[in-house]
Amino acid sequence: MHAFDYNKFLSLLVVAGLFGGLSACTEYGVENHDGENSTKGYFILYPNTHQLSDSIDERISKEGVRTRLSPGGHYSLFAKIDSLDVVPILFISGAKCCENGCLGINEGDNFKFDFSCLLDEPSYVILSLKDQNHNTLKASVSHVRLDGEGIYSDYLSLNIVVAGAFDSTADGQFIDSLANGIGQRLQQIYDVHVDTVYISYAINHPSAGRMFAKDSFLFVGSSYVVNLLREPWNDSEKDKAFDVVLVDRVNRDVVGYAYNFFFQESLNLEVSVVSFRGLDGIPYFSQTIQNISVHELGHVLGLNHTTLTMKDFLDWGDYSIFEDGLEDTPYCQEKSDQYREELEKSVLKKSSLNNDIFSYMAFPKVMNKLDTLTVLSPDCSDYFNIMSPWGIFEKVVYESSPMQRAVVKKNLTLIPH
């Protein structure tokens, strides 16, 4: 076992895009069923998020916004309307509910729309606020938010999947103790109960196993191979668990990735991918791997980065939000100001939303100026939060906020498991 050079580790991981909290906005709404370009439902409204998005506000009364509803889920859509003469009606396409429109409960300019849909499985739908004739509202919409609570357990199980050449961590932990440590850290940080921690090997997967080799170094340049592990393990208990796949490396910019709120095409549970080696090929300490795993699972359970990175803007295509919106989590004002200035210089302003949605996705100056070499700054007030994008290190004690824990628990009841 090689000795671990902590100073080298610090110098290698000063990347603002250290974590990949991906949304699937680039996978949905880009083409309609006829293969033609369509912007319908391009922006995603995540349940129980507190981010206020100008993009969501503007689009929900036009082509609508996309969300994912779960069987047995009870939802409330909130919105402010700037005219007392307008009565908004909620329409939902893609599910049998609000087919004739749902009226909201209003107090002044604040509207609340309560709804549940009869679903057999999680489904993607488009939420729209229109007038009674399905026409665009003659009013401005703001402060759009979706709350939800479901019927599923607020307990969970984990399935730790070894897909790379894992031997032991830098501090000598083997897979059993590492896997249990991930479960314990998840419980500790998010205050959720972990029933069971399973250990699996990718090579033994019933359908994707042939894509993996025993004890072979696995570098994941794209998610294609690893995403094959979303298919069932043909084990009822493992298939109810949240998968964390351990690979040698993901790519040079991130040490892990996951989709927000299991927003992927597959309706199976999410696969989070975590690397267990540094750029130098030396394994991380167990605490580092545990923290990265908890961070990525935070994305699956609906948490965003405390301060959004330039990568987040490009992945989501939404340049109108800069932090997670939770009142009790700090964010890095310095970085937020820097990103805002960069976006304004590139004319990626709110006014761009009035133009074709794809036209402002292709600004090469922004896309080539990702913050992959941002100097790590412990001065950022969110440095010690588990959902900080600035890096996870072995000797730092990370924590979550009460509002983050509440989001995790509510979203857990919406995710079938």
Side-chain angles (χ1 to χ4, degrees):
M1 178 61 63
H2 295 286
F4 184 80
D5 185 342
Y6 189 72
N7 289 328
K8 186 172 184 179
F9 176 65
L10 284 176
S11 66
L12 288 170
L13 293 185
V14 288
V15 291
L18 192 60
F19 300 104
L22 305 178
S23 75
C25 64
T26 54
E27 296 183 18
Y28 306 111
V30 176
E31 291 187 348
N32 62 21
H33 295 298
D34 299 323
E36 298 174 356
N37 284 339
S38 169
T39 61
K40 186 173 178 60
Y42 178 87
F43 289 105
I44 297 175
L45 180 60
Y46 293 98
N48 299 314
T49 186
H50 288 245
Q51 290 173 319
L52 295 178
S53 164
D54 291 342
S55 304
I56 295 289
D57 293 344
E58 181 157 339
R59 294 292 169 174
I60 196 168
S61 61
K62 294 181 180 177
E63 72 272 13
V65 297
R66 184 178 294 267
T67 193
R68 187 177 189 180
L69 303 182
S70 293
H74 299 278
Y75 297 90
S76 296
L77 180 75
F78 298 87
K80 282 188 174 184
I81 309 296
D82 73 348
S83 173
L84 297 178
D85 298 325
V86 171
V87 178
I89 298 176
L90 172 65
F91 292 95
I92 301 176
S93 60
K96 291 184 177 180
C97 54
C98 291
E99 294 172 279
N100 298 314
C102 288
L103 288 172
I105 302 169
N106 71 299
E107 295 181 359
D109 60 351
N110 292 293
F111 283 81
K112 176 186 178 185
F113 303 86
D114 294 319
F115 64 93
S116 296
C117 299
L118 293 176
L119 301 170
D120 295 324
E121 61 184 10
S123 300
Y124 304 112
V125 303
I126 303 295
L127 305 179
S128 302
L129 292 178
K130 304 286 187 179
D131 66 16
Q132 60 184 359
N133 296 317
H134 294 251
N135 295 322
T136 300
L137 295 175
K138 297 184 185 307
S140 294
V141 181
S142 63
H143 292 78
V144 174
R145 180 168 58 89
L146 179 67
D147 283 357
E149 199 152 2
I151 60 176
Y152 301 102
S153 173
D154 57 0
Y155 288 30
L156 76 155
S157 297
L158 296 177
N159 185 28
I160 309 302
V161 183
V162 180
F166 180 81
D167 179 20
S168 65
T169 62
D171 50 331
Q173 283 198 15
F174 297 103
I175 189 59
D176 287 7
S177 57
L178 174 63
N180 288 329
I182 292 173
Q184 292 168 7
R185 189 59 53 85
L186 186 70
Q187 278 192 160
Q188 174 191 8
I189 290 183
Y190 295 140
D191 191 28
V192 295
H193 184 83
V194 178
D195 274 330
T196 311
V197 178
Y198 301 98
I199 298 172
S200 302
Y201 291 85
I203 194 173
N204 295 329
H205 191 278
S207 61
R210 58 187 175 79
M211 303 293 293
F212 300 88
K214 184 176 177 58
D215 299 328
S216 178
F217 186 96
L218 180 60
F219 173 88
V220 181
S222 71
S223 59
Y224 170 71
V225 173
V226 173
N227 280 354
L228 295 175
L229 297 173
R230 295 181 304 193
E231 299 303 317
W233 286 83
N234 295 339
D235 180 316
S236 60
E237 295 306 313
K238 283 187 180 180
D239 289 333
K240 294 177 184 176
F242 291 79
D243 292 331
V244 176
V245 181
L246 301 179
V247 301
D248 292 271
R249 287 298 307 166
V250 179
N251 61 42
R252 76 178 193 87
D253 292 331
V254 300
V255 295
Y257 70 85
Y259 288 88
N260 279 14
F261 190 62
F262 76 132
F263 243 91
Q264 55 183 32
E265 291 189 26
S266 168
L267 296 182
N268 295 327
L269 285 185
E270 179 54 60
V271 170
S272 301
V273 179
V274 172
S275 63
F276 54 79
R277 298 184 194 274
L279 296 176
D280 53 8
I282 298 175
Y284 295 144
F285 277 88
S286 57
Q287 185 174 333
T288 301
I289 301 171
Q290 291 161 12
N291 285 332
I292 296 170
S293 300
V294 172
H295 176 104
E296 299 307 336
L297 286 165
H299 286 308
V300 174
L301 295 171
L303 297 181
N304 294 312
H305 289 146
T306 46
T307 304
L308 270 63
T309 68
M310 290 291 281
K311 272 192 172 181
D312 290 325
F313 300 141
L314 296 176
D315 287 335
W316 297 357
D318 188 346
Y319 305 96
S320 66
I321 49 177
F322 290 86
E323 41 96 12
D324 65 4
L326 299 176
E327 295 175 359
D328 64 351
T329 61
Y331 68 98
C332 189
Q333 186 69 55
E334 176 186 355
K335 295 304 298 179
S336 181
D337 290 343
Q338 175 190 328
Y339 299 148
R340 185 178 285 106
E341 183 178 344
E342 288 290 332
L343 295 176
E344 288 175 351
K345 285 181 179 178
S346 303
V347 295
L348 295 174
K349 301 179 181 179
K350 181 181 176 181
S351 59
S352 298
L353 295 172
N354 296 322
N355 303 323
D356 179 73
I357 198 166
F358 297 102
S359 66
Y360 68 93
M361 290 292 292
F363 281 85
K365 289 183 179 179
V366 173
M367 301 186 87
N368 292 332
K369 201 169 185 180
L370 300 182
D371 51 347
T372 53
L373 294 175
T374 300
V375 176
L376 189 69
S377 174
D379 295 332
C380 282
S381 54
D382 56 348
Y383 179 76
F384 296 101
N385 189 280
I386 190 63
M387 296 310 297
S388 163
W390 314 123
I392 287 293
F393 300 105
E394 183 260 335
K395 293 184 179 180
V396 177
V397 178
Y398 294 95
E399 57 186 20
S400 64
S401 74
M403 292 185 75
Q404 285 176 315
R405 296 191 289 274
V407 169
V408 164
K409 290 181 179 182
K410 289 183 74 173
N411 280 338
L412 191 55
T413 68
L414 288 169
I415 301 176
H417 67 285

